[in-house]
């Protein structure tokens, strides 16, 4: 119900909502944008060229039409720069950004509080948006479409619903699983884009840029070697640079060379394809316990002692990208390439079908 003829009460309730009752307590804001190695402009953000071009056009058009940018949904494996890109968009558009994640928006008051606190044109970034609960989703629908929220006041029988306007804003949702988003939520995003894995040369550029900011001495071969072992993912590359720099200082001459990277990665149990112990263990379990598959994800999760989500979000995308596993309707299968990588011989001729 809309209470438009009850202005004073309405205003009072809104004021109360804006102050204490609906203040989100679990929302986290990222304030480290200015001080870390994340790029802040499209020019310094390396890779994702197709997406960047689409975004530049949308931003330009929204500026020319003087309207807020359409809501955006980014999906793809973790660590590919979804949050970073949201920061770049905010910076290039000249608007503030609030960063939170769906698990922090557990209670209705969390999402209502954050929506009511938004300034005109502000970007709201919600990470892991596929984990938003049904109530939060329903609060979000009118907020995204028409920039208002419905707030219920009073108790059980006397409950009243008020339509409260909020400032026009842009929602940027990020998810590792676009398929897990409800249809109505997905449909409310004007731009839906997948972030791709990075090439070795893009990653090498990212590594050199980050090394420059962090005052780390690295040569071209060292950068490329880290790049090829970073699972095509900038977050991992940036983590490995620091570990290799430590190694260079303690065991070398302070310069991250290919040899330094080789020894540092060996100590970290990361192989030439960027696989770590868990990746190799996963492949080995599939080979030794299930004859290379097909094996269901639940079975694999139990055997590996990892939860299904971690396998699906963290391990599987890169193993699929490398061609080490295949997804079939009966489950996951190991490919001959994986056998070769592990120094094993693929058991039968059927494998050559891959
Ligand atoms: N750091 C993390 N992701 C990056 C990217 N895409 N470009 C430059 N630096 C980054």
């Amino acid at each position: 119900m809309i209470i438009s003829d009850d202005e004073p009460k309405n205003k009072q309730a809104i004021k109360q909502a804006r102050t204490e009752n609906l203040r989100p307590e679990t929302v986290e804001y990222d304030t480290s944008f200015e001080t870390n190695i994340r790029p802040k402009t499209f020019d310094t953000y390396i890779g994702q060229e197709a997406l960047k071009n689409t975004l530049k056009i949308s931003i330009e058009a929204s500026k020319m039409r003087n309207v807020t940018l359409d809501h955006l949904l980014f999906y793809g494996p973790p660590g590919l720069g979804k949050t970073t890109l949201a920061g770049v968009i905010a910076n290039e558009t000249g608007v503030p950004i609030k960063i939170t994640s769906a698990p922090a928006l557990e209670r209705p008051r969390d999402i209502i509080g954050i929506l009511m606190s938004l300034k005109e044109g502000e970007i709201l970034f919600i990470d892991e948006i596929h984990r938003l609960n049904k109530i939060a989703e329903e609060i979000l629908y009118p907020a995204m479409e028409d920039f208002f929220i419905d707030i219920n006041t009073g108790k059980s029988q006397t409950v009243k619903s008020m339509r409260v306007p909020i400032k026009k804003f842009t929602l940027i949702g990020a998810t590792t699983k676009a398929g897990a988003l409800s249809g109505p939520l997905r449909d409310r995003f004007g731009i839906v884009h997948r972030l791709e894995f990075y090439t070795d040369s893009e990653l090498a550029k990212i590594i050199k840029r980050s090394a420059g900011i962090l005052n780390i001495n690295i040569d071209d071969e060292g950068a490329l070697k880290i790049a090829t072992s970073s699972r095509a993912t900038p977050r991992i590359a940036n983590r490995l640079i620091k570990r290799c720099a430590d190694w260079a200082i303690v065991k070398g001459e302070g310069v991250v060379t290919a040899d330094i990277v080789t020894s540092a990665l060996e100590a970290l149990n990361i192989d030439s394809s960027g696989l770590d112990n868990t990746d190799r263990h996963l492949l080995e379990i599939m080979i030794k316990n299930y004859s290379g598959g097909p094996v269901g994800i639940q079975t694999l999760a139990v055997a590996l002692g990892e939860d299904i989500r971690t396998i699906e979000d963290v391990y599987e995308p890169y193993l699929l990208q490398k061609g080490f596993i295949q997804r079939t309707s009966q489950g996951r299968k190991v490919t001959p390439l994986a056998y070769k990588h592990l120094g094993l011989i693929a058991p039968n001729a059927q494998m050559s079908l891959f």
Side-chain angles (χ1 to χ4, degrees):
M1 186 171 62
I2 310 159
I3 317 171
S4 51
D5 57 348
D6 197 7
E7 199 59 17
K9 249 198 220 160
N10 194 352
K11 275 199 175 143
Q12 209 182 355
I14 294 172
K15 202 169 157 213
Q16 197 187 346
R18 280 197 205 282
T19 51
E20 60 199 54
N21 270 358
L22 301 170
R23 190 183 298 143
E25 283 163 17
T26 51
V27 170
E28 289 164 23
Y29 302 126
D30 184 347
T31 53
S32 58
F33 261 99
E34 272 72 43
T35 52
N36 63 21
I37 54 175
R38 290 178 196 253
K40 287 151 196 87
T41 60
F42 283 125
D43 286 346
T44 49
Y45 187 101
I46 295 153
Q48 311 295 343
E49 296 304 326
L51 174 54
K52 277 196 299 187
N53 288 336
T54 307
L55 291 173
K56 281 182 195 165
I57 300 282
S58 300
I59 291 174
E60 186 80 26
S62 76
K63 279 183 183 167
M64 286 167 80
R65 291 166 52 219
N66 203 18
V67 293
T68 49
L69 189 64
D70 245 355
H71 304 303
L72 299 152
L73 179 68
F74 296 150
Y75 67 98
L80 297 191
K82 296 186 275 290
T83 314
T84 305
L85 202 50
V88 168
I89 294 168
N91 184 50
E92 294 272 3
T93 320
V95 297
I97 180 168
K98 280 198 173 73
I99 297 182
T100 186
S101 75
L105 304 172
E106 205 181 303
R107 302 160 304 176
R109 65 157 81 164
D110 297 325
I111 182 109
I112 290 173
I114 202 164
L115 288 169
M116 288 178 75
S117 75
L118 293 173
K119 298 181 195 77
E120 189 72 26
E122 188 160 6
I123 290 175
L124 173 60
F125 178 84
I126 304 183
D127 204 5
E128 298 188 75
I129 196 159
H130 61 278
R131 293 176 66 187
L132 218 52
N133 63 49
K134 199 85 213 108
I135 296 172
E137 255 192 36
E138 270 160 19
I139 293 168
L140 209 47
Y141 294 158
M144 288 174 79
E145 249 169 34
D146 299 310
F147 305 108
F148 71 81
I149 46 181
D150 282 319
I151 295 182
N152 292 329
T153 55
K155 289 202 178 95
S156 53
Q157 258 124 42
T158 59
V159 71
K160 283 184 178 173
S161 178
M162 284 184 315
R163 184 157 287 195
V164 181
I166 56 166
K167 297 285 188 321
K168 291 201 173 72
F169 71 105
T170 298
L171 176 66
I172 303 183
T175 177
T176 48
K177 283 198 191 72
L181 230 65
S182 74
L185 182 55
R186 202 172 44 240
D187 292 346
R188 282 171 170 85
F189 287 97
I191 302 170
V192 178
H193 223 290
R194 183 186 146 85
L195 272 83
E196 305 294 340
F197 278 120
Y198 290 69
T199 63
D200 290 346
S201 90
E202 286 168 345
L203 277 183
K205 279 189 201 149
I206 292 174
I207 290 162
K208 294 203 86 172
R209 175 183 175 274
S210 302
I213 296 168
L214 297 169
N215 264 328
I216 290 171
N217 245 326
I218 188 165
D219 67 18
D220 288 349
E221 291 75 28
L224 195 60
K225 186 104 189 111
I226 296 178
T228 54
S229 305
S230 297
R231 310 172 70 92
T233 304
R235 185 184 292 159
I236 297 178
N238 283 333
R239 201 177 65 214
L240 290 182
I241 303 170
K242 293 181 198 150
R243 298 293 71 78
C244 293
D246 292 346
W247 198 270
I249 289 163
V250 176
K251 304 264 187 187
E253 314 271 295
V255 182
V256 179
T257 59
D259 284 348
I260 287 287
V261 176
T262 304
S263 358
L265 294 185
E266 209 176 284
L268 293 168
N269 283 316
I270 294 169
D271 69 26
S272 57
S273 287
L275 304 197
D276 64 15
N277 281 341
T278 314
D279 295 303
R280 286 189 298 269
H281 192 196
L282 190 146
L283 295 174
E284 280 159 10
I285 282 181
M286 288 174 77
I287 291 169
K288 291 188 183 140
N289 299 11
Y290 304 98
S291 315
V295 51
I297 188 79
Q298 282 97 342
T299 315
L300 209 49
V302 173
L304 202 62
E306 283 280 359
D307 66 59
I308 293 176
R309 195 185 292 150
T310 309
I311 297 180
E312 282 182 339
D313 293 355
V314 180
Y315 297 106
E316 224 178 41
Y318 184 63
L319 293 173
L320 283 164
Q321 150 92 3
K322 288 297 284 181
F324 288 158
I325 58 169
Q326 268 197 337
R327 271 169 104 153
T328 71
S329 52
Q330 292 97 39
R332 279 74 176 161
K333 271 183 173 179
V334 176
T335 67
L337 215 56
Y339 279 87
K340 188 161 172 242
H341 181 73
L342 296 173
L344 302 168
I345 296 164
N348 56 40
Q350 221 186 334
M351 284 296 174
S352 62
L353 288 175
F354 285 122

